[in-house]
Amino acid sequence: MLFVPSRASELAIGLGGSILVPPMVAAPLLLAALVAAVVSGNSLFWGALWVLLALTVVAVILLTVAMTAVTVATTVRWVEFRPLETPAQVVIARFLRSSTMAVADLQRVVVIERLSLGQRQSIKVVLHTRSETVKCEPARSAPLSRVDAQALTDWLTEQLGRSQVAVERQTEVKRDFLRPDEWWTPSHTAALWRVPVGEVDGIAAQRSVERHRYTPRAHAMYSPSTSVTVYDPGRAYEVAEELRAERAAGQAADSTAAPGPDEDDATDSR
């Protein structure tokens, strides 16, 4: 299982984040200090500006070193079962070293798929051994990041079943959507449920979809009485799946109950 196709690209991504984050955080302070120094011409403000610049550089260096150390020490590049047909060993390769352990030391393997509104956010393979837990998460560029979770679980079960290693699949669903910014408007919810907007509130009340009513900031000053109702996306998506299943069941029942051409002919002949 290849989790990180390229060490260089993975390090570049980690280093890029560590280099960009401190300047982005410090930018408002630096800009304010620069404006104050230019307008006032006071040496005290110029000194504060240079201190902030120095602290930003130090933060970049420290974060870069920390990110590099964490990536090198913890990121798993690939995992191989040897031999493939009847594996007796598991080879775990990290950035600068690899280790080998017996399959007998492997207690269980868990495939974790993170979902948000039915869409995969990430996938992870966790190896539970007698002495440690090894978390293997594919990079975005790795083909393994797009592999179906059930197919991966089935393949691991096939490889490790003879060794009596338990393989599990788990799903983690995001439910902590930021209210009200990430909650859904009635029109969005109606489109998902495939119902008129006027029916959304009734369905939400019937199916226990949490609602939140608030006044948007754009209207708070000029139209304080203007309020908007938004709906919890997590439960709203579950209701969409329920409605879809109910419609499919209803269509199947209607097609079963409707008489076919042969039945119509037999009725007419009688």
Side-chain angles (χ1 to χ4, degrees), residues 45-64:
F45 287 101
W46 283 107
L49 175 63
W50 286 112
V51 169
L52 286 174
L53 284 172
L55 290 176
T56 302
V57 172
V58 171
V60 168
I61 295 173
L62 292 177
L63 192 57
T64 300

Side-chain angles (χ1 to χ4, degrees), residues 7-25:
R7 281 182 286 193
S9 62
E10 191 69 10
L11 277 174
I13 292 172
L15 293 178
S18 63
I19 292 173
L20 291 177
V21 168
M24 290 176 63
V25 173

Side-chain angles (χ1 to χ4, degrees), residues 174-218:
K174 178 185 177 182
R175 297 187 182 276
D176 55 339
F177 294 95
L178 183 63
R179 182 177 64 177
D181 298 336
E182 292 183 340
W183 281 33
W184 285 353
T185 61
S187 58
H188 190 158
T189 308
L192 181 73
W193 290 352
R194 292 191 293 169
V195 298
V197 176
E199 297 182 12
V200 168
D201 205 51
I203 296 175
Q206 181 184 13
R207 299 184 181 250
S208 302
V209 179
E210 186 178 353
R211 295 169 292 176
H212 177 67
R213 197 164 183 81
Y214 77 108
T215 301
R217 281 177 236 157

Side-chain angles (χ1 to χ4, degrees), residues 102-113:
V103 172
D105 293 332
L106 189 61
Q107 296 180 324
R108 66 189 180 105
V109 178
V110 182
V111 178
I112 301 175
E113 186 177 30

Side-chain angles (χ1 to χ4, degrees), residues 19-204:
I19 292 173
L20 291 177
V21 168
M24 290 176 63
V25 173
L29 291 175
L30 290 172
L31 182 60
L34 178 62
V35 171
V38 171
V39 172
S40 66
N42 192 319
S43 60
L44 182 62
F45 287 101
W46 283 107
L49 175 63
W50 286 112
V51 169
L52 286 174
L53 284 172
L55 290 176
T56 302
V57 172
V58 171
V60 168
I61 295 173
L62 292 177
L63 192 57
T64 300
V65 173
M67 285 292 297
T68 302
V70 170
T71 301
V72 171
T74 63
T75 302
V76 175
R77 291 184 55 227
W78 50 263
V79 173
E80 183 180 357
F81 302 116
R82 297 178 180 174
L84 190 58
E85 295 77 13
T86 56
Q89 294 180 326
V90 181
V91 181
I92 302 173
R94 292 182 171 84
F95 263 67
L96 299 178
R97 61 185 179 85
S98 62
S99 58
T100 303
M101 68 176 178
V103 172
D105 293 332
L106 189 61
Q107 296 180 324
R108 66 189 180 105
V109 178
V110 182
V111 178
I112 301 175
E113 186 177 30
R114 296 192 186 95
L115 302 177
S116 177
L117 301 177
Q119 300 297 319
R120 176 194 286 181
Q121 301 300 305
S122 63
I123 191 171
K124 180 168 59 175
V125 178
V126 182
L127 308 178
H128 294 270
T129 72
R130 298 180 187 275
S131 59
E132 63 176 334
T133 299
V134 182
K135 298 179 181 180
C136 314
E137 191 162 358
R140 293 186 179 274
S141 59
L144 191 61
S145 64
R146 298 181 292 274
V147 171
D148 181 72
Q150 188 58 54
L152 179 58
T153 303
D154 294 340
W155 182 81
L156 288 168
T157 301
E158 180 182 352
Q159 298 300 315
L160 300 172
R162 302 183 187 92
S163 304
Q164 297 183 339
V165 177
V167 180
E168 305 173 14
R169 178 189 172 187
Q170 296 179 1
T171 301
E172 296 179 357
V173 181
K174 178 185 177 182
R175 297 187 182 276
D176 55 339
F177 294 95
L178 183 63
R179 182 177 64 177
D181 298 336
E182 292 183 340
W183 281 33
W184 285 353
T185 61
S187 58
H188 190 158
T189 308
L192 181 73
W193 290 352
R194 292 191 293 169
V195 298
V197 176
E199 297 182 12
V200 168
D201 205 51
I203 296 175

Side-chain angles (χ1 to χ4, degrees), residues 213-235:
R213 197 164 183 81
Y214 77 108
T215 301
R217 281 177 236 157
H219 300 152
M221 182 177 295
Y222 304 104
S223 303
S225 60
T226 303
S227 58
V228 176
T229 300
V230 288
Y231 301 87
D232 175 21
R235 177 58 187 151

